[in-house]
Amino acid sequence: MEEFTVTLKTLTPLWTGDAWRRNQEIKPQSIMGALRFWFEVYCHAVGIEVKEYNKENVNYKEFRKKLEEKIRQNSDRELFELEHEVLAEMRISLPSRIFGCTGWRGRVFIKGIQPIENYCFGNYLNLPEVIYKDKNNSSADWQVCKRKEVNDLKKKNKNKNLHFWYFPIPYFWGKFEVTFQVKKEIKDTILVPLLNFIQYYGFIGGRNNLGYGRVKIEENLTNEVFKFSQNERLSDKSINEAIEEVNSFDELLEAQNKKIKLWKKEKNANSFSFQGVIKELIAFKAKERLKISNNEERHYIFGSTKRDKYNNIQGPNATKIIPWINPKNDGNYEYGFISLVGLQYFGERNEKK
């Protein structure tokens, strides 16, 4: 194992809190969860098998037996390579070989997380606790209120279809260092391109439906190609191979392939206010949501707590249309939405095809 430290800077608020809205530290499990999730999403999008890791299990006695036989037959090969080969023969998916499953620890760990410089666990951007508007009047101005005022507002406006969005406060804003412990064979081939993939397209932490969790890496990590060929019987793949940029919001809703879709609503904004942009994106998304008449389909795509089914996928569902904000090299910004609608073929459903 070798240590590897990266510095991350928030582009949008970072929230790794709990059910009681406490957010006093950046939780390692949130970072690891994001790494695994986005690696699985990437693999799925480029056609690499993904399974539900909580249903994968390495029988260690069987693993040791197979590994010892491999070592006897291949004494000139690296142990890491042989372990990887045995796990593949045992049908353990690549994400589980990297990040672990029952009976296997994985190859990547977090040693520590340290906020640095002028960071803030609070409300640095002065966000309101709650924003709301009438669903049936998309042109209406946004209103703001406190959480404790929501119930009274609902009672006083029974004739209106009010929709409330809650900003988690406090959140983290600033820079933080993450120190990984990682197998040297994995660092440059998997971890570095994965970190680049997340800084361009992914998210860390929760409340991504509000645009939370976008980060940038301060160091210049140049490798943007997964070097699968060095450890797998797979070809190398660019981080961009998982992405399909589309020309309209409607194309985000299509699930004709497994690609992650990206639609840029604005490609060259010369100024940026998180609160202004996220209000614009939420309002646009809410308007588009109303166009889908099929309840089950709407709940699958845009998210719902209901336990209905869509294409045999049981709810509740997180939103598959996520607000995306990205700084450009020229100092301007672009923003729009990332679509994970293709995830309906994810995990076990992928195995059954």
Side-chain angles (χ1 to χ4, degrees):
M1 289 279 184
E2 65 177 67
E3 291 189 4
F4 169 57
T5 299
V6 294
T7 305
L8 300 175
K9 178 182 178 181
T10 53
L11 299 175
T12 64
L14 175 63
W15 191 83
T16 64
D18 54 29
W20 293 271
R21 301 197 300 276
R22 292 176 302 203
N23 187 37
Q24 300 169 340
E25 62 178 336
I26 301 171
K27 293 183 169 59
Q29 58 266 37
S30 290
I31 308 297
M32 289 299 297
L35 290 172
R36 179 170 196 137
F37 174 79
W38 289 105
F39 186 58
E40 289 182 344
V41 167
Y42 177 88
C43 288
H44 175 75
V46 299
I48 296 172
E49 184 180 37
V50 177
K51 300 180 180 180
E52 294 187 36
Y53 74 91
N54 57 353
K55 296 184 179 179
E56 291 191 89
N57 187 2
V58 174
N59 183 315
Y60 192 70
K61 184 179 290 187
E62 179 187 356
F63 170 78
R64 288 295 304 176
K65 183 178 179 181
K66 288 178 177 289
L67 180 61
E68 288 168 2
E69 182 64 25
K70 288 274 186 189
I71 293 172
R72 281 195 295 269
Q73 296 174 356
N74 304 273
S75 58
D76 59 330
R77 292 171 62 190
E78 294 288 335
L79 178 62
F80 172 88
E81 183 182 355
L82 297 177
E83 288 178 337
H84 226 54
E85 200 170 283
V86 170
L87 291 169
E89 290 174 2
M90 295 175 70
R91 297 297 309 277
I92 301 302
S93 67
L94 178 57
S96 286
R97 279 176 257 159
I98 302 299
F99 291 103
C101 63
T102 302
W104 181 250
R105 292 184 67 232
R107 308 288 195 180
V108 180
F109 307 94
I110 290 179
K111 181 180 180 180
I113 298 174
Q114 181 62 52
I116 60 173
E117 299 180 12
N118 297 317
Y119 67 90
C120 172
F121 282 101
N123 190 8
Y124 182 85
L125 300 178
N126 197 29
L127 299 177
E129 290 185 14
V130 183
I131 59 174
Y132 68 96
K133 66 163 54 182
D134 189 339
K135 281 186 185 180
N136 300 322
N137 185 6
S138 59
S139 62
D141 291 334
W142 285 102
Q143 304 296 316
V144 302
C145 68
K146 303 285 188 182
R147 282 178 173 268
K148 63 184 180 182
E149 298 171 338
V150 169
N151 287 337
D152 285 342
L153 284 167
K154 288 179 178 179
K155 291 175 183 177
K156 292 176 182 178
N157 295 274
K158 290 181 179 179
N159 60 327
K160 293 183 179 180
N161 190 8
L162 296 183
H163 197 168
F164 296 83
W165 285 266
Y166 301 81
F167 286 105
I169 300 169
Y171 49 82
F172 177 83
W173 187 264
K175 295 180 183 180
F176 61 101
E177 293 178 340
V178 182
T179 299
F180 294 98
Q181 291 181 319
V182 56
K183 284 282 188 179
K184 63 180 181 180
E185 297 89 346
I186 293 296
K187 177 193 160 193
D188 293 321
T189 61
I190 301 291
L191 181 57
V192 168
L194 176 57
L195 289 168
N196 275 325
F197 179 77
I198 290 174
Q199 77 162 328
Y200 293 135
Y201 305 113
F203 301 78
I204 289 175
R207 307 304 171 91
N208 307 145
N209 63 315
L210 290 170
Y212 277 44
R214 292 284 293 129
V215 296
K216 279 296 178 185
I217 299 169
E218 292 285 276
E219 294 80 9
N220 183 24
L221 303 182
T222 57
N223 186 11
E224 297 184 2
V225 175
F226 286 98
K227 301 292 182 66
F228 293 126
S229 63
Q230 294 188 21
N231 300 305
E232 302 290 327
R233 294 176 181 174
L234 297 167
S235 59
D236 295 343
K237 296 182 184 297
S238 162
I239 63 174
N240 295 317
E241 284 191 45
I243 303 298
E244 178 184 348
E245 188 169 343
V246 298
N247 297 314
S248 70
F249 184 89
D250 288 345
E251 292 177 83
L252 295 175
L253 311 183
E254 299 172 359
Q256 296 174 346
N257 58 49
K258 300 176 182 179
K259 297 286 187 181
I260 303 161
K261 294 184 174 64
L262 169 64
W263 176 59
K264 298 177 182 178
K265 186 175 187 294
E266 172 58 61
K267 296 184 178 182
N268 201 36
N270 56 22
S271 62
F272 171 73
S273 156
F274 171 73
Q275 189 173 160
V277 169
I278 202 61
K279 284 179 177 179
E280 176 185 339
L281 293 176
I282 289 173
F284 185 91
K285 180 179 167 182
K287 185 177 178 180
E288 295 298 316
R289 179 187 179 113
L290 293 174
K291 295 179 181 179
I292 299 182
S293 57
N294 182 297
N295 286 340
E296 291 78 15
E297 180 183 8
R298 185 173 66 251
H299 294 162
Y300 169 75
I301 293 174
F302 290 98
S304 172
T305 57
K306 297 187 182 299
R307 299 190 62 80
D308 48 11
K309 281 188 177 182
Y310 176 69
N311 285 355
N312 293 319
I313 301 170
Q314 178 76 55
N317 281 291
T319 182
K320 311 299 184 297
I321 308 296
I322 308 172
W324 174 85
I325 299 167
N326 192 58
K328 300 172 65 176
N329 291 333
D330 61 5
N332 290 347
Y333 284 81
E334 54 189 356
Y335 57 85
F337 296 95
I338 285 280
S339 171
L340 302 181
V341 171
L343 288 181
Q344 64 179 278
Y345 303 115
F346 204 42
E348 286 192 331
R349 292 177 288 281
N350 188 38
E351 295 175 58
K352 293 175 182 177
K353 292 181 81 66

